[in-house]
């Protein structure tokens, strides 16, 4: 029957079987009833059960639901079709995995009665659910309540989303959705702006909400690997809408500029373009295109962006206005950086000084940290001063190497400071930080505390006890007091945590109370040892077994591992095992002298979830990194001192040791120990006719680290990746398999533990053994005769046993191009590797066959490299690590 609908809900549907019914029901069960609403579902070629769900609800509500099935053409074409079919006066575009609040259309109808002639678009706030909860950044525009805004006057109120709004159907049909585009993001924002340009007003409805389901990956982050995001998106959204606006209005309204600039924020925050997405020429063309479009944005619009760093605003304003910032003063006489009559962010006295480390020994306070300054102000590092009890002291600073901050550009320079302050003559010292800007000295009011600074930046009552001293931060100062009563400080801090009521705060209060009691009770010294959460069989287990055999009388040692993994019972036979993240684990962690692990992830170093800052001021154990392989590449971005603060850093070869001491890791000889890997003490040569294929992981194929397992999920496109395609073809190569059969060899496929959960995606054949997560690497090293790997440090284990290695580096440019965590280091695989480096599947197969035909013997040239690589060839690596730990206890 013919029904006059007030609202049409257009819903593009593509493979959303899991969430689709929730979306449909959120419309059907609106508080205003279904009588005024129609739903138009465009099944855009779904390959799951989404199409059937659409049909089921259409049969149930034939007067209110229309369904169109079409070949996959993308959301823009689906919306275009939906607009053509819509018979309602107002259209909403609900995504098929989101939901509408129950009162949306009731509240919209009330708003229409009051403001029908004033606007063509009525927007409502966006709230996340799913893997992320909370309000969207742009919800600030609803703070003044429901109203209609003049976008020419209040241009800082962008409406990007077409789904969190309703638009007048007559206008949408007339001016929008005429030529839908296939771009990764913002195709809906383009259509929204075309409608908004008709009246240049926007209705804001604050009394309802749009519920946006957040998945593990955001569309923007996924899009950065799509060339269209850099090319088509920039042209068909950003440039298009500015040109369209100019043709329509004779100028580009500021609300259009602001919307475009808001989208540019995510581009400008990208330090560099994702490797192998664009050619070098394309990347440079994209950068110049983006900056030229930024030059079309008015200076006050750039200044108004809330998510851009001050340095990024300054860079763009400098390009836009052609002048350097100068120091001026606002109405309250606060110093600010100014371009013309525009500031560039917070006042200068809010320029942060970053405090990374603090130590207080023998009445000497040691502070380490860093600051930054604009590169285009001066190439010289600016002076830094400390004011201590009213006296000014200049501090020596040094440049810190830092990567690009914006599309390959360095927008600022970091410089570090290290200062030792004797605490004499007073019971209380006040320390202020003074920054020098072109001769103008200004005290900073902002001290940014790094993850290893022993104070909680969220609570003013946080304190750190050092024998006879207490360290605190009050506003922009550090306070050091002598002989104060700790109990009063602890009570105040616990009350502060309770009042803040952050996630995990109640547990933090309980743990601090338990620690306060247990730490004063007599107990043996405690060391914690671990490997992965769900697997042992690495340097941690080797060292733990050594400690149990040695049985030091005054020492209690525990191995941390999940009781849900296969290795748990085996470890219990060696010595005391503690279930990961249990209360016992966390309490023992706080009471331990050392936390010793082969893994460097944050969850191993700091196993507390929730209010983590509450634990910083406690006597956390010193973290000793046993490593899970020999470092041959540059891992300084991950393992540098500001990111990990390793107390002990185990190395195996002299060149590895030198690369860390002389690299950008920021460690000294005190922290880096040349001892050899603990597991090498247990390596055996019991070779069988096994060819082991052991590729390392690829960070750019993984997402969503699970904090409780240490495992990741796969990103879309994994099955099409070069990584999967190469290894799937290699393990199924007919010529290789026939040769292995002929010479009596078996093939064993052992992906990295982070890739192990996805091993079933590979095609299986009867001749390849697929390793499982519980298999022992030590057994693999013992029984294997030939290792085939790409970049894995397992090559060092095989080489240590004088077994040959073949490297297959088919994706070398991608791997070392910035997509993975590795950067090329001192180790040259061609010159330093323990076997040939091949770059194609065919060459890899030929090389494996060559070794198999020659009984997998290591060639003399590679044997020579082995002899020159390892610092030790004995079975005393664990002993050297143990003696180093005893020696370093005097530093604690």
């Amino acid at each position: 029957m013919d029904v006059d609908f007030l609202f049409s809900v257009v819903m593009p549907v593509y493979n959303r079987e899991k969430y689709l019914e929730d979306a449909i029901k959120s419309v059907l069960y609106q508080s205003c009833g279904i009588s005024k609403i129609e739903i138009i579902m465009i099944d855009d070629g779904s390959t799951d059960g989404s199409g059937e769900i659409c049909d089921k609800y259409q049969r149930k509500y034939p007067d209110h639901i229309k369904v169109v099935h079409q070949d996959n053409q993308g959301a823009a074409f689906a919306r275009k079709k939906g607009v053509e079919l819509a018979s309602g006066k107002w259209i909403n575009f609900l995504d098929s995995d989101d939901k509408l609040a129950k009162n949306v259309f009731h509240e919209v109808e009330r708003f229409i009665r009051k403001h029908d002639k004033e606007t063509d678009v009525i927007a409502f706030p966006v709230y996340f659910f799913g893997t992320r909860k909370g309000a969207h950044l742009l919800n600030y525009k609803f703070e003044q309540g429901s109203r209609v805004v003049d976008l020419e006057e209040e241009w800082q109120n962008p409406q990007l989303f077409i789904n969190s709004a309703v638009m007048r159907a007559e206008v949408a049909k007339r001016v929008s959705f005429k030529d839908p585009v296939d771009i990764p993001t913002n195709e809906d924002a383009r259509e929204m702006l075309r409608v908004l340009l008709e009246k240049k007003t926007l209705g804001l409805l604050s009394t309802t909400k749009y519920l946006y389901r957040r998945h593990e990956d955001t569309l923007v982050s996924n899009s950065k690997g799509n060339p269209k995001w850099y090319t088509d998106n920039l042209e068909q959204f950003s440039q298009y809408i500015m040109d369209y606006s100019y043709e329509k209005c004779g100028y580009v309204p500021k609300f259009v500029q602001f919307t475009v600039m808001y989208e540019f924020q995510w581009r400008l925050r990208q330090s560099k373009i994702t490797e192998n997405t664009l050619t070098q020429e394309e990347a440079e063309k994209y950068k110049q295109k983006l900056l030229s479009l930024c030059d079309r944005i008015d200076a006050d619009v750039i200044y108004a962006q809330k998510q851009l760093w001050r340095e990024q605003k300054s860079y763009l304003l400098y390009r836009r206005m052609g002048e350097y910032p100068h120091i001026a003063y606002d109405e309250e006489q606060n110093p600010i950086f100014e371009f013309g009559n525009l500031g560039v962010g917070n006042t200068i006295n809010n320029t942060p000084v970053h405090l990374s480390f603090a130590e207080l020994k023998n009445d000497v306070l040691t502070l380490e940290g860093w600051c930054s300054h604009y590169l285009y102000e001066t190439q010289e590092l600016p002076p830094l001063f400390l004011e201590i009890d009213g006296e000014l002291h200049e501090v020596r600073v040094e440049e810190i190497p830092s990567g690009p901050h914006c599309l390959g550009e360095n927008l600022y320079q970091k410089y570090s400071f290290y200062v030792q302050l004797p605490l004499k003559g007073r019971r209380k010292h006040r320390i202020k930080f003074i920054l020098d800007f072109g001769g103008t000295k200004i005290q900073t009011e902002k001290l940014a505390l790094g993850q290893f600074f022993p104070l909680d930046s969220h609570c003013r009552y946080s304190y750190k006890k050092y024998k006879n001293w207490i360290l605190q931060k009050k506003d922009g100062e550090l306070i050091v007091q002598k002989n104060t009563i700790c109990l009063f400080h602890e009570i105040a801090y616990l009350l502060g945590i309770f009042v803040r009521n952050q996630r995990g705060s109640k547990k933090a209060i309980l743990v601090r109370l338990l620690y306060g009691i247990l730490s004063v009770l007599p107990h043996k010294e405690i060391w914690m040892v671990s490997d992965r959460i769900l697997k042992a069989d690495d340097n941690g287990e080797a060292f733990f077994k050594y400690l149990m055999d040695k049985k030091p009388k005054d020492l209690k040692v525990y191995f941390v591992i999940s009781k849900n993994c296969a290795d748990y019972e085996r470890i219990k036979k060696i010595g005391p095992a503690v279930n990961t993240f249990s209360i016992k684990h966390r309490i023992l962690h706080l009471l331990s002298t050392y936390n010793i692990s082969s893994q460097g992830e944050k969850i191993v170093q700091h196993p507390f979830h929730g209010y983590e800052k509450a634990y910083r001021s406690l006597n956390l154990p010193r973290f000793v990194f046993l490593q899970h392989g020999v470092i041959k590449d540059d891992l300084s971005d991950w393992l540098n001192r500001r990111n990990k603060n390793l107390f002990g850093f185990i190395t195996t070869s002299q060149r590895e040791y030198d690369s860390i001491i002389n690299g950008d890791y920021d460690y000294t000889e005190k922290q880096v120990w040349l001892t050899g890997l603990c597991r090498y003490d247990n390596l055996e040569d019991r070779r069988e006719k096994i060819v082991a294929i052991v590729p390392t992981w690829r960070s750019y194929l993984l997402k969503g680290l699970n904090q409780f397992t240490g495992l990741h999920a796969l990103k879309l496109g994994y099955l099409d990746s070069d990584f999967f395609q190469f290894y799937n073809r290699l393990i199924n190569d007919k010529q290789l398999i026939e040769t292995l059969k002929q010479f009596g060899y078996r093939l064993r496929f052992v992906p990295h533990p982070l890739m192990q959960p996805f091993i079933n995606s590979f095609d299986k054949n009867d001749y390849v053994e697929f390793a499982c997560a519980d298999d022992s690497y030590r057994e693999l090293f013992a029984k294997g005769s030939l290792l085939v790997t790409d970049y894995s440090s397992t090559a060092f284990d095989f080489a240590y046993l004088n077994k040959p290695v073949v490297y297959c580096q088919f994706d070398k440019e991608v791997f070392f191009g910035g997509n993975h965590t590795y950067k090329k280091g001192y180790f040259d695989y061609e010159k330093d590797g323990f076997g040939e480096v091949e770059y194609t599947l065919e060459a890899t197969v030929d090389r494996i066959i060559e070794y198999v035909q020659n009984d997998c013997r290591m060639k003399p040239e590679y044997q020579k490299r082995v002899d020159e690589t390892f610092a030790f060839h004995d079975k005393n690596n664990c002993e050297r690590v143990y003696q180093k730990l005893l020696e370093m206890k005097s530093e604690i």
Side-chain angles (χ1 to χ4, degrees):
M1 63 179 184
D2 294 329
V3 179
D4 291 329
F5 295 109
L6 181 58
F7 301 109
S8 294
V9 177
V10 173
M11 190 187 304
V13 178
Y14 180 71
N15 288 351
R16 282 293 183 257
E17 178 181 10
K18 184 177 179 180
Y19 311 114
L20 180 57
E21 292 200 59
D22 285 345
I24 297 171
K25 289 176 181 178
S26 77
V27 180
L28 293 175
Y29 302 153
Q30 284 289 302
S31 59
C32 66
I34 191 63
S35 61
K36 299 177 183 179
I37 306 171
E38 70 169 348
I39 307 174
I40 303 167
M41 288 185 281
I42 312 298
D43 173 26
D44 194 36
S46 296
T47 57
D48 61 1
S50 298
E52 288 78 4
I53 293 173
C54 293
D55 292 338
K56 180 180 78 171
Y57 279 90
Q58 196 278 328
R59 289 192 296 269
K60 192 172 182 180
Y61 299 90
D63 296 332
H64 293 271
I65 294 180
K66 301 173 185 175
V67 175
V68 175
H69 298 283
Q70 64 181 32
D71 293 337
N72 181 254
Q73 299 179 63
F77 287 88
R79 292 191 181 109
K80 180 179 186 296
K81 183 68 173 178
V83 169
E84 292 171 355
L85 295 174
S87 58
K89 295 178 181 178
W90 294 81
I91 302 177
N92 168 259
F93 299 88
L94 173 64
D95 281 351
S96 55
D97 54 351
D98 295 343
K99 295 189 289 186
L100 296 173
K102 192 172 183 179
N103 67 338
V104 162
F105 292 122
H106 174 76
E107 292 298 315
V108 170
E109 187 174 6
R110 289 179 58 194
F111 192 92
I112 291 170
R113 291 195 198 107
K114 188 175 181 179
H115 301 287
D116 185 24
K117 302 299 183 183
E118 300 175 43
T119 187
D120 296 327
V121 178
I122 303 167
F124 24 95
V126 174
Y127 288 87
F128 298 110
F129 72 106
T131 60
R132 173 185 165 188
K133 294 177 174 60
H136 192 277
L137 287 171
L138 296 179
N139 283 1
Y140 66 79
K141 61 179 177 278
F142 298 95
E143 291 173 356
Q144 297 182 43
S146 298
R147 61 197 180 103
V148 175
V149 299
D150 182 342
L151 291 174
E152 294 276 40
E153 296 294 327
E154 299 184 53
W155 45 264
Q156 297 183 27
N157 295 300
Q159 179 60 30
L160 285 83
F161 302 128
I162 208 167
N163 43 21
S164 63
V166 296
M167 64 171 59
R168 195 181 301 275
E170 178 272 323
V171 178
K173 290 173 181 285
R174 176 167 49 86
V175 305
S176 199
F177 301 97
K178 300 299 182 185
D179 47 355
V181 293
D182 179 21
I183 53 179
T185 60
N186 295 318
E187 46 84 15
D188 55 340
R190 188 178 104 158
E191 305 309 314
M192 175 61 72
L193 284 169
R194 285 159 61 111
V195 173
L196 289 172
L197 280 163
E198 292 300 296
K199 274 197 174 86
K200 303 186 184 68
T201 63
L202 173 64
L204 299 176
L205 177 58
S206 63
T207 54
T208 187
K209 60 182 68 172
Y210 183 88
L211 303 174
Y212 187 117
R213 189 185 300 272
R214 196 62 179 261
H215 303 281
E216 288 179 343
D217 276 352
T218 64
L219 185 58
V220 170
S221 63
N222 283 336
S223 297
K224 289 180 181 178
N226 185 345
K228 286 187 175 182
W229 191 73
Y230 300 93
T231 53
D232 297 13
N233 225 83
L234 207 59
E235 292 178 3
Q236 296 186 39
F237 170 63
S238 307
Q239 181 173 322
Y240 171 89
I241 199 62
M242 285 200 282
D243 291 345
Y244 177 88
S245 301
Y246 188 83
E247 291 173 9
K248 184 176 182 64
C249 306
Y251 64 99
V252 181
K254 286 189 177 181
F255 77 87
V256 175
Q257 294 184 40
F258 190 91
T259 304
V260 171
M261 194 65 214
Y262 179 87
E263 194 274 336
F264 282 174
Q265 292 181 95
W266 319 118
R267 297 176 180 274
L268 294 166
R269 289 168 67 175
Q270 189 178 6
S271 61
K272 59 182 180 179
I273 296 169
T274 304
E275 295 289 340
N276 299 295
T277 304
L278 303 177
T279 66
Q280 186 173 355
E281 182 180 351
E282 289 171 336
E284 184 59 29
K285 188 176 179 180
Y286 161 74
K287 176 182 171 182
Q288 295 307 319
K289 179 84 166 182
L290 174 61
L291 292 175
S292 69
L293 290 173
C294 286
D295 291 342
R296 295 177 62 180
I297 307 293
D298 291 346
D300 55 347
V301 176
I302 293 173
Y303 171 66
Q305 300 302 315
K306 299 179 185 299
Q307 303 304 315
L308 278 181
W309 304 341
R310 185 178 66 190
E311 290 84 0
Q312 291 164 335
K313 291 181 184 180
S314 298
Y315 174 61
L316 295 177
L317 290 171
Y318 173 66
R319 285 180 51 90
R320 186 79 171 78
M321 304 175 70
E323 64 178 50
Y324 294 103
H326 60 273
I327 296 177
Y329 294 86
D330 62 17
E331 294 177 355
E332 298 177 356
Q333 294 304 298
N334 293 312
I336 60 173
F337 280 124
E338 191 172 72
F339 283 85
N341 61 354
L342 289 173
V344 286
N346 296 332
T347 56
I348 294 177
N349 49 16
N350 267 328
T351 299
V353 169
H354 299 262
L355 297 175
S356 304
F357 307 102
E359 190 60 74
L360 205 165
K361 280 186 177 182
N362 302 319
D363 294 340
V364 175
L365 176 65
T366 302
L367 296 173
E368 296 181 66
W370 61 275
C371 306
S372 65
H373 80 114
Y374 300 146
L375 280 176
Y376 47 80
E377 290 174 30
T378 173
Q379 293 299 321
E380 297 180 1
L381 296 179
L384 172 68
F385 296 88
L386 290 188
E387 183 184 299
I388 308 167
D389 303 326
E391 295 183 7
L392 207 61
H393 304 270
E394 184 170 354
V395 176
R396 186 172 66 86
V397 298
E398 293 183 356
E399 182 178 322
I400 303 175
S402 59
H405 311 117
C406 174
L407 300 178
E409 296 282 347
N410 287 342
L411 303 185
Y412 60 88
Q413 178 61 60
K414 290 183 179 180
Y415 56 100
S416 66
F417 61 86
Y418 174 93
V419 61
Q420 292 184 312
L421 308 174
L423 304 177
K424 296 179 181 179
R426 292 174 179 260
R427 298 179 63 84
K428 184 176 183 179
H429 301 270
R430 308 178 74 93
I431 303 168
K432 302 178 182 178
F433 291 82
I434 312 296
L435 302 173
D436 187 294
F437 296 94
T440 302
K441 294 181 176 62
I442 297 170
Q443 179 192 342
T444 181
E445 297 177 356
K446 185 173 182 180
L447 298 180
L449 307 184
Q451 61 175 319
F452 298 111
F453 199 83
L455 295 178
D456 175 3
S457 58
H458 285 177
C459 184
R460 63 175 301 178
Y461 301 107
S462 174
Y463 73 98
K464 171 66 178 177
K465 176 74 167 65
Y466 294 101
K467 291 188 178 179
N468 298 326
W469 295 93
I470 293 288
L471 174 67
Q472 289 185 290
K473 181 179 84 73
K474 295 288 180 66
D475 300 320
E477 300 179 350
L478 291 180
I479 309 295
V480 191
Q481 301 178 74
K482 195 170 187 179
N483 292 327
T484 59
I485 301 175
C486 270
L487 180 60
F488 293 156
H489 290 287
E490 182 66 15
I491 292 172
Y493 182 39
L494 293 178
L495 286 173
I497 295 175
F498 181 79
V499 170
R500 285 191 63 84
N501 194 30
Q502 287 188 318
R503 183 175 67 91
S505 59
K506 291 183 176 63
K507 186 179 291 184
I509 292 171
L510 175 62
V511 172
R512 285 188 69 99
L513 288 172
L514 285 172
Y515 169 77
I517 295 169
L518 295 174
S519 62
V520 298
L521 296 177
H523 60 270
K524 289 184 178 181
E525 183 178 356
I526 298 170
W527 292 5
M528 307 293 289
V529 185
S530 66
D531 284 320
R532 296 184 184 277
I533 293 172
L534 293 173
K535 186 167 180 59
D537 193 39
D538 204 336
N539 292 303
E541 180 179 339
F543 189 57
F544 182 64
K545 187 175 185 301
Y546 165 84
L547 292 174
M548 290 300 99
D549 292 340
K550 193 176 185 67
K551 297 186 185 302
K553 294 180 181 180
D554 58 344
L555 181 65
K556 192 72 174 175
V557 183
Y558 296 87
F559 195 90
V560 181
I561 189 169
S562 172
K563 67 179 182 181
N564 297 319
C565 75
D567 286 348
Y568 183 79
E569 292 300 324
R570 180 169 57 79
I571 291 295
K572 281 180 64 177
K573 295 176 183 178
I574 299 173
V578 180
N579 185 29
T580 309
F581 304 131
S582 63
I583 292 294
K584 183 177 181 180
H585 169 207
R586 291 168 177 174
I587 293 298
L588 288 173
H589 180 89
L590 291 173
L591 296 173
S592 294
T593 303
Y594 289 122
N595 176 20
I596 307 164
S597 182
S598 65
Q599 306 302 305
E601 285 74 19
K602 184 179 180 180
I603 53 175
V604 174
Q605 191 170 6
H606 198 312
F608 301 99
H609 302 288
Y611 196 175
E612 296 181 358
K613 292 180 174 63
Y615 304 94
R616 289 182 180 177
S617 60
L618 301 179
N619 292 318
L620 295 173
R622 272 50 176 187
F623 186 58
V624 177
F625 185 41
L626 295 177
Q627 291 214 60
H628 44 273
V630 178
I631 291 179
K632 61 203 178 327
D633 306 303
D634 185 351
L635 299 182
S636 59
D637 287 347
W638 178 49
L639 291 174
N640 69 79
R641 183 163 167 252
R642 285 184 175 81
N643 194 37
K644 294 298 176 185
N645 192 28
L646 304 179
F647 183 79
F649 195 150
I650 300 301
T651 60
T652 300
S653 76
Q654 187 65 49
R655 289 186 68 198
E656 178 192 21
Y657 175 90
D658 292 342
S659 74
I660 294 166
I661 292 292
N662 301 321
D664 294 331
Y665 294 84
D666 196 26
Y667 295 107
T668 67
E669 292 87 349
K670 184 183 292 187
Q671 292 101 20
V672 186
W673 308 341
L674 181 55
T675 62
L677 293 182
C678 293
R679 69 173 183 245
Y680 284 6
D681 288 356
N682 301 323
L683 287 182
E684 300 175 288
D685 187 355
R686 294 183 277 106
R687 68 184 72 190
E688 300 176 6
K689 289 192 171 185
I690 296 174
V691 174
I693 299 180
V694 188
T696 193
W697 67 303
R698 303 296 195 275
S699 64
Y700 46 87
L701 296 178
L702 300 177
K703 65 179 181 181
L705 177 68
N706 185 315
Q707 295 293 324
F708 295 95
T709 65
L711 300 178
H712 298 255
L714 275 178
K715 285 185 178 178
L716 294 175
Y718 168 72
L719 296 179
D720 297 322
S721 68
D722 290 342
F723 170 83
F724 175 80
Q725 292 293 328
F726 180 90
Y727 285 106
N728 198 44
R729 290 167 60 198
L730 178 61
I731 63 177
N732 289 283
D733 187 88
K734 292 181 179 179
Q735 181 186 3
L736 176 61
I737 290 173
E738 288 302 318
T739 302
L740 294 176
K741 286 181 179 179
Q742 179 185 347
F743 287 87
Y745 278 81
R746 307 195 308 275
L747 195 63
R748 188 157 182 77
F749 185 46
V750 189
H752 188 278
L754 292 179
M755 310 298 289
Q756 174 66 226
F758 321 113
I759 196 170
N760 289 332
S761 59
F762 290 90
D763 296 330
K764 292 182 171 59
N765 64 69
D766 295 336
Y767 202 72
V768 177
E769 299 174 3
F770 284 72
C772 69
D774 299 330
D775 288 352
S776 168
Y777 271 85
R778 186 157 48 88
E779 284 298 298
L780 177 71
F781 299 151
K783 295 180 178 180
S785 290
L786 172 66
L787 175 71
V788 181
T789 187
D790 39 23
Y791 315 96
S792 173
S793 62
T794 54
F796 284 82
D797 295 74
F798 263 71
Y800 192 84
L801 293 169
N802 303 314
K803 297 181 179 182
V805 175
V806 174
Y807 300 95
C808 49
Q809 298 185 350
F810 56 92
D811 60 348
K812 181 178 180 181
E813 289 76 15
V814 177
F815 191 84
F816 289 114
N819 288 344
H820 190 60
T821 57
Y822 296 2
K823 293 190 298 185
K824 192 153 181 53
Y826 71 91
F827 190 88
D828 186 310
Y829 291 84
E830 294 277 6
K831 297 178 181 178
D832 305 316
F834 309 117
E836 293 84 354
V837 183
E838 307 296 350
Y839 299 99
T840 66
L841 177 68
E842 293 74 17
T844 302
V845 170
D846 290 344
R847 189 64 67 185
I848 296 172
I849 290 174
E850 178 196 336
Y851 272 105
V852 167
Q853 290 173 340
N854 288 280
D855 202 25
C856 291
R857 290 190 296 269
M858 178 172 273
K859 298 175 182 179
E861 61 191 283
Y862 300 121
Q863 183 64 59
K864 183 173 183 293
R865 292 181 186 179
V866 170
D867 296 338
E868 294 172 347
T869 294
F870 297 98
F872 306 101
H873 293 269
D874 53 25
K875 298 286 185 177
N876 297 319
N877 296 337
C878 288
E879 174 67 19
R880 279 186 287 272
V881 173
Y882 177 66
Q883 292 301 327
K884 196 66 180 177
L885 291 170
L886 296 181
E887 174 192 330
M888 293 299 293
K889 282 173 63 175
S890 62
E891 298 292 327
I892 299 175

